Every structure is written in structure tokens, then in C-alpha cells.
């Protein structure tokens, strides 16, 4: 869940993990910790046609959720880190 200020032209003010509710560190409009942002525009073959769903997960919740998967996630080492 993300909140933006209206006065500072949409500056990021708050990010909370939708799973555990924890407030993630945001300073001067910049998110300063890992956050998994998901956005899914549901289509015609879904039960939510026409809806866009968005949520944020902290890294701890991401780890806990993905560990429960029956098929492990694919992991690739990044060779270029900026
Ligand atoms: Zn969380």
C-alpha cells in the first residue's frame, strides 16, 4: 500500500506491506528498503475482468510466502548491479 502527497506533486510518503502491515522506510520520497510491488490488470478470462490489483510486500513476507510454494521460484544471479 502506497501513499503519495498531493502538495508535492505525488511524492511518495508511505509504503506499508499489505501482508503484515509494517511501515517500510521512506525518506525524502525514496523507499529505502526492499519491497516487492505487484500490479495485475485482470483480463477477460478472469473473475475480476476490468480490475487492476496492486499490493506491496516486505522482503520477510515475500520470503515466507514463496517458501510455501509447491514449486520453488526461479532464481537467477544478476551479473550487473547498478
Ligand atoms: Zn510484510
Amino acid at each position: 500500500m502506497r501513499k503519495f502527497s498531493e502538495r508535492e506533486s505525488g511524492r511518495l510518503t508511505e509504503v506499508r506491506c499489505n501482508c503484515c502491515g509494517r511501515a517500510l522506510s521512506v525518506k525524502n520520497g525514496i523507499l529505502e528498503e526492499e519491497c516487492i510491488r505487484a500490479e495485475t490488470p485482470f483480463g477477460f478470462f478472469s473473475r475480476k475482468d476490468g480490475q487492476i490489483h496492486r499490493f506491496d510486500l516486505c522482503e520477510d513476507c515475500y520470503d515466507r510466502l514463496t517458501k510455501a510454494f509447491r514449486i520453488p521460484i526461479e532464481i537467477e544471479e544478476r551479473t550487473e548491479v547498478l
Side-chain angles (χ1 to χ4, degrees), residues 17 19-20 58 61:
C17 173
C19 188
C20 69
C58 70
C61 287

Side-chain angles (χ1 to χ4, degrees), residues 17-22 24 56-62 64:
C17 173
N18 283 80
C19 188
C20 69
R22 183 172 69 83
L24 281 65
D56 294 282
L57 293 176
C58 70
E59 192 171 3
D60 289 341
C61 287
Y62 173 83
R64 191 176 60 255

Side-chain angles (χ1 to χ4, degrees), residues 1-30:
M1 180 277 305
R2 294 183 179 215
K3 286 187 179 175
F4 297 88
S5 69
E6 291 180 26
R7 288 195 327 195
E8 296 179 69
S9 64
R11 184 179 188 159
L12 185 65
T13 58
E14 181 180 4
V15 178
R16 286 187 177 271
C17 173
N18 283 80
C19 188
C20 69
R22 183 172 69 83
L24 281 65
S25 176
V26 175
K27 289 182 184 161
N28 299 320
I30 297 171

